[in-house]
Amino acid sequence: MTRKFNFCAGPAALPDPVLERARDELLDYQGHGLSVMEMSHRSGAFAEIAARAERDLRALLAVPDNYRVLFMQGGASSQFAMVPYNLLGTGGTPNYLYTGIWGKKAVAEARHLAGAHVAASSEANGFTAVPRPEDIVLSSDAAYLHYTANETIGGLAFDYIPEVGDVPLVCDMSSSILSGPLDVSRFGVIYAGAQKNIGPAGLTLVIVRDDLLERALPNTPTMFNYRVMAENGSMFNTPPTYAWYLAGLVFDWLRHDMGGLEAMDRLNARKSEKLYAAIDASDFYSSPIAMPNRSRMNVPFVLADASLNDAFLNDAEAAGLLNLKGHRSVGGMRASLYNAVPEAAVDVLVDFMREFERRHG
Amino acid sequence: MTRKFNFCAGPAALPDPVLERARDELLDYQGHGLSVMEMSHRSGAFAEIAARAERDLRALLAVPDNYRVLFMQGGASSQFAMVPYNLLGTGGTPNYLYTGIWGKKAVAEARHLAGAHVAASSEANGFTAVPRPEDIVLSSDAAYLHYTANETIGGLAFDYIPEVGDVPLVCDMSSSILSGPLDVSRFGVIYAGAQKNIGPAGLTLVIVRDDLLERALPNTPTMFNYRVMAENGSMFNTPPTYAWYLAGLVFDWLRHDMGGLEAMDRLNARKSEKLYAAIDASDFYSSPIAMPNRSRMNVPFVLADASLNDAFLNDAEAAGLLNLKGHRSVGGMRASLYNAVPEAAVDVLVDFMREFERRHG
């Protein structure tokens, strides 16, 4: 068995110690005589797994007591519908910041269900910089403001949290959550698909301020209803138990092995700075993104000579560096540097890039 | 490591060979240098896993070419909403057979969204027998007829497929799918949460006749839309890749190790007959369910002296027989005998029941 370095944007690398523990417990969880996958979600053993995961997550993010943590299904794409369903019951217009493909999908789903106002957009700068605070113009009846903290495909990240007064701020943090400390109290709803910094695909984390649980539209499908999920401890129906367990192992790893989110923040800064420094030091590689909005999680870059793209990807794969191809909608390369990607992976990548440039530059 | 016998109603037992293979491949899938959990759903390796799973499932159930197989999220509870959303775009009233708790939830969700007609009910007989064909009275404008093939909690199973002419027949087969051969062509939509006979919780299988893909209500959330899922090969967004992989291992096991669904049919008949025979042979135990509607998958039974329930469950657990407690809404005992529960488990259970009766009868 040889583990390679995996720069996939999602589903993404998971920490080796998490996978090793999952493997060791796969057929028999701590002497219970069955796999976590085979346990009733109502069993004592699973209740403990579920509670511990929430406890560790709350500790990591310092989630205030007036926020509920939900473990749901359906990914961010389902949240694009759930957010308007859950927040429009008291009227108003959904407001969105449009900074890339995921933000665009969120707006489209809101419009499909309810209409939406784009309060600011990065379209004019080709999605290379986020709107400045003074460019955000909410509608007078804003029900909420939704934005994407980190655009996974574009590699475009907000360097600030929008200030919107009493308007609930809703944030898709799928590709940046847990990469550093966060002031949860600034938000009304935070959600994140698990398959980047949390665990395997098929789990969605939602953190919602409890006063917002009373705003659902009457026709909200029950499985979309945050209040129903909160009242049932995310077990209105059978939750994705194994993904929840794995998320718990990741939270445990972050909290107890890695030293928490301040330590992750420093590590993630170091990893991304090394890669951007290598890109900036060369005319062979370049990044299109404005300096303050460069994502630490997803680093897109292009080769000056695009005809070398295939050679770059083939040679990288041969060197054990996987999934560096940029998203089909933007091309070029992308290295995703989520929490589970070790600093050593970045070092090897940077060496590889220098060597590739030496041979082809 | 000692594996115990697990009679849980779901999440339920998985086959040992499936779990062993998952364990062996957990950190490195077939030399790719990463876990299946860490693979892009767009990668060649995962595309193969996904396609093989569908191919094996289609072969097992002899799914006709004009049916689409979807791998979704959200469980049967999400299907309770998806079915009306997807089938009411051309008008009409949803029709339901009400034979237990899951059927009741399905009706409630339809009413929450659209209204519904109960075409027949088992309420009068205390959910101990399904309606006879002649008792089913559809509304004149029936958009579809929905029923629950096997009520997991009540242990009540249909012994026939309702004949409804051109009205699309929709069936929740969560707890009976793959337990034997099936004439898929009789149905418009079949769905099943994975966590009984398919794989881990967090995956939902949907088999839909392709002419029904054009009937969605205009406000159907995109993630609920069967047509969108079909057009995108169940990858409109990131699917629950690891659960899909495990389902594929289960399909492979059923098809290639166990000899397919006719063999499973015989095995499941034998397993359940052994247990019902033990129940019927004694006044100490009894089953409330009418003979023709006794479920082969979920066998509820009660002790004549309910004060012995706790002793029964404690002694069973000490004997390595797990999760025999009936659902909290009905009490008593329930042994779920899904495909992955070996015949040896039933033999041990029957011996245990006889011995318990000998000591306490």
Side-chain angles (χ1 to χ4, degrees):
Chain A
M1 191 193 76
T2 313
R3 299 265 299 156
K4 297 183 179 168
F5 290 130
N6 180 13
F7 298 96
C8 194
L14 287 162
D16 285 3
V18 165
L19 293 176
E20 284 160 6
R21 195 162 145 194
R23 177 196 60 201
D24 295 344
E25 298 181 337
L26 193 74
L27 276 92
D28 183 7
Y29 177 72
Q30 302 190 355
H32 287 271
L34 74 181
S35 177
V36 172
M37 291 180 211
E38 303 175 298
M39 282 180 186
S40 170
H41 53 298
R42 312 274 179 207
S43 66
F46 188 76
E48 245 177 63
I49 289 169
R52 192 182 324 127
E54 179 170 340
R55 206 161 52 234
D56 278 337
L57 179 79
R58 283 185 172 273
L60 282 165
L61 288 172
V63 177
D65 287 346
N66 62 324
Y67 284 75
R68 308 297 284 265
V69 173
L70 310 179
F71 292 84
M72 300 187 74
Q73 297 186 54
S77 295
S78 294
Q79 295 301 319
F80 298 163
M82 287 190 212
V83 166
Y85 268 119
N86 279 282
L87 297 183
L88 292 181
T90 45
T93 299
N95 280 232
Y96 285 79
L97 303 183
Y98 170 28
T99 57
I101 289 169
W102 294 105
K104 185 177 187 175
K105 285 177 183 250
V107 175
E109 190 69 15
R111 290 213 165 118
H112 178 55
L113 300 167
H117 166 72
V118 174
S121 161
S122 296
E123 207 166 4
N125 62 46
F127 306 102
T128 58
V130 307
R132 301 318 309 158
E134 58 273 22
D135 299 328
I136 299 174
V137 183
L138 299 188
S139 70
S140 58
D141 64 342
Y144 59 83
L145 176 67
H146 177 286
Y147 76 108
T148 314
N150 180 75
E151 281 282 354
T152 320
I153 292 174
L156 188 68
F158 273 82
D159 53 329
Y160 67 96
I161 298 174
E163 180 52 69
V164 284
D166 287 343
V167 175
L169 189 60
V170 178
C171 189
D172 177 356
M173 293 196 192
S174 293
S175 50
S176 59
I177 197 160
L178 296 170
S179 61
L182 180 69
D183 183 357
V184 171
S185 73
R186 301 282 299 276
F187 298 88
V189 179
I190 292 167
Y191 65 83
Q195 67 272 16
K196 287 101 161 56
N197 262 341
I198 294 173
L203 179 73
T204 315
L205 183 71
V206 178
I207 303 173
V208 53
R209 210 174 62 213
D210 54 17
D211 64 289
L212 298 176
L213 296 175
E214 306 304 326
R215 298 193 184 186
L217 289 165
N219 65 338
T220 302
T222 307
M223 284 291 293
F224 273 10
N225 192 309
Y226 292 156
R227 185 176 54 74
V228 170
M229 289 297 139
E231 285 173 354
N232 288 278
S234 304
M235 296 192 196
F236 173 75
N237 76 336
T238 311
T241 48
Y242 196 67
W244 192 334
Y245 153 77
L246 285 165
L249 295 186
V250 171
F251 301 156
D252 183 60
W253 171 79
L254 284 172
R255 189 175 175 197
H256 301 112
D257 296 5
M258 298 302 283
L261 297 191
E262 302 206 344
M264 292 312 298
D265 194 53
R266 290 189 294 274
L267 178 60
N268 286 319
R270 214 159 56 225
K271 282 156 54 183
S272 56
E273 279 161 15
K274 277 185 180 177
L275 182 50
Y276 283 116
I279 291 166
D280 292 341
S282 146
D283 294 331
F284 191 82
Y285 304 105
S286 66
S287 158
I289 306 299
M291 204 66 81
N293 300 133
R294 287 175 162 190
S295 168
R296 304 191 314 182
M297 294 288 104
N298 311 100
V299 181
F301 59 95
V302 293
L303 277 62
D305 178 358
S307 74
L308 290 171
N309 283 356
D310 287 348
F312 183 92
L313 290 166
N314 287 337
D315 291 4
E317 195 165 325
L321 302 166
L322 305 184
N323 295 312
L324 285 164
K325 192 172 184 177
H327 189 269
R328 60 194 185 285
S329 63
V330 295
M333 307 297 153
R334 174 177 51 171
S336 293
L337 308 181
Y338 300 121
N339 284 340
V341 175
E343 190 167 2
V346 180
D347 293 336
V348 174
L349 172 59
V350 166
D351 285 346
F352 167 81
M353 288 168 66
R354 288 202 186 111
E355 173 61 19
F356 187 84
E357 179 178 358
R358 200 190 55 74
R359 283 188 285 123
H360 297 277
Chain B
M1 191 193 75
T2 314
R3 298 264 300 156
K4 297 182 178 167
F5 290 129
N6 181 13
F7 298 96
C8 194
L14 287 162
D16 285 4
V18 164
L19 293 176
E20 284 160 8
R21 194 161 147 195
R23 177 197 58 201
D24 295 344
E25 298 181 336
L26 193 73
L27 276 92
D28 182 8
Y29 177 73
Q30 303 190 354
H32 287 271
L34 74 182
S35 177
V36 172
M37 291 180 211
E38 303 175 298
M39 281 180 186
S40 170
H41 53 298
R42 312 272 180 208
S43 65
F46 188 76
E48 246 178 63
I49 289 169
R52 193 182 324 128
E54 180 171 339
R55 205 160 53 236
D56 279 337
L57 179 79
R58 283 185 172 274
L60 283 165
L61 288 172
V63 178
D65 287 346
N66 63 324
Y67 284 74
R68 309 296 285 265
V69 173
L70 311 179
F71 292 84
M72 301 187 73
Q73 297 186 55
S77 295
S78 294
Q79 295 302 320
F80 298 163
M82 287 190 211
V83 166
Y85 268 119
N86 280 282
L87 297 183
L88 292 181
T90 46
T93 298
N95 278 234
Y96 285 80
L97 302 183
Y98 170 28
T99 56
I101 289 170
W102 294 106
K104 185 177 186 176
K105 285 177 183 249
V107 175
E109 190 69 15
R111 290 213 164 119
H112 179 54
L113 299 168
H117 167 71
V118 174
S121 161
S122 297
E123 206 166 4
N125 62 45
F127 305 102
T128 58
V130 307
R132 301 319 308 158
E134 57 274 22
D135 299 329
I136 299 174
V137 182
L138 299 188
S139 70
S140 59
D141 64 342
Y144 60 82
L145 177 68
H146 176 285
Y147 77 108
T148 314
N150 181 75
E151 280 281 354
T152 321
I153 291 173
L156 187 68
F158 273 82
D159 53 329
Y160 67 97
I161 297 173
E163 181 52 68
V164 285
D166 286 344
V167 174
L169 189 59
V170 179
C171 190
D172 177 356
M173 292 195 192
S174 294
S175 51
S176 59
I177 196 160
L178 295 170
S179 62
L182 180 69
D183 183 357
V184 172
S185 73
R186 299 283 299 275
F187 298 89
V189 179
I190 292 167
Y191 64 84
Q195 67 272 16
K196 286 100 161 59
N197 262 340
I198 294 173
L203 180 73
T204 316
L205 184 70
V206 178
I207 303 173
V208 53
R209 210 175 63 215
D210 55 17
D211 64 290
L212 298 176
L213 296 175
E214 305 305 326
R215 299 193 183 187
L217 290 165
N219 65 338
T220 302
T222 307
M223 284 292 293
F224 273 10
N225 193 309
Y226 292 156
R227 185 175 55 74
V228 171
M229 289 297 138
E231 286 173 353
N232 289 277
S234 303
M235 296 192 196
F236 173 74
N237 76 335
T238 311
T241 48
Y242 196 66
W244 192 333
Y245 153 77
L246 285 164
L249 295 186
V250 170
F251 301 155
D252 183 61
W253 171 79
L254 284 172
R255 189 175 175 197
H256 300 112
D257 296 4
M258 300 302 283
L261 297 190
E262 302 206 346
M264 292 313 297
D265 195 53
R266 291 189 294 273
L267 178 59
N268 286 320
R270 216 159 55 224
K271 282 154 56 181
S272 56
E273 279 161 16
K274 277 184 180 178
L275 182 51
Y276 282 116
I279 292 166
D280 292 340
S282 146
D283 294 332
F284 192 81
Y285 305 105
S286 66
S287 159
I289 305 299
M291 206 67 80
N293 299 133
R294 286 175 163 191
S295 169
R296 305 190 312 181
M297 295 287 105
N298 311 100
V299 182
F301 59 95
V302 293
L303 277 61
D305 179 358
S307 74
L308 291 171
N309 283 356
D310 287 349
F312 182 91
L313 290 166
N314 287 337
D315 291 3
E317 194 164 325
L321 302 166
L322 305 183
N323 296 312
L324 285 165
K325 191 173 184 176
H327 190 268
R328 60 194 185 285
S329 62
V330 295
M333 306 297 153
R334 175 177 48 172
S336 294
L337 309 181
Y338 299 122
N339 284 339
V341 175
E343 189 165 2
V346 180
D347 294 334
V348 174
L349 172 59
V350 166
D351 286 347
F352 167 81
M353 288 168 66
R354 288 200 186 113
E355 173 61 19
F356 188 84
E357 178 177 358
R358 199 189 55 74
R359 282 188 286 124
H360 296 278

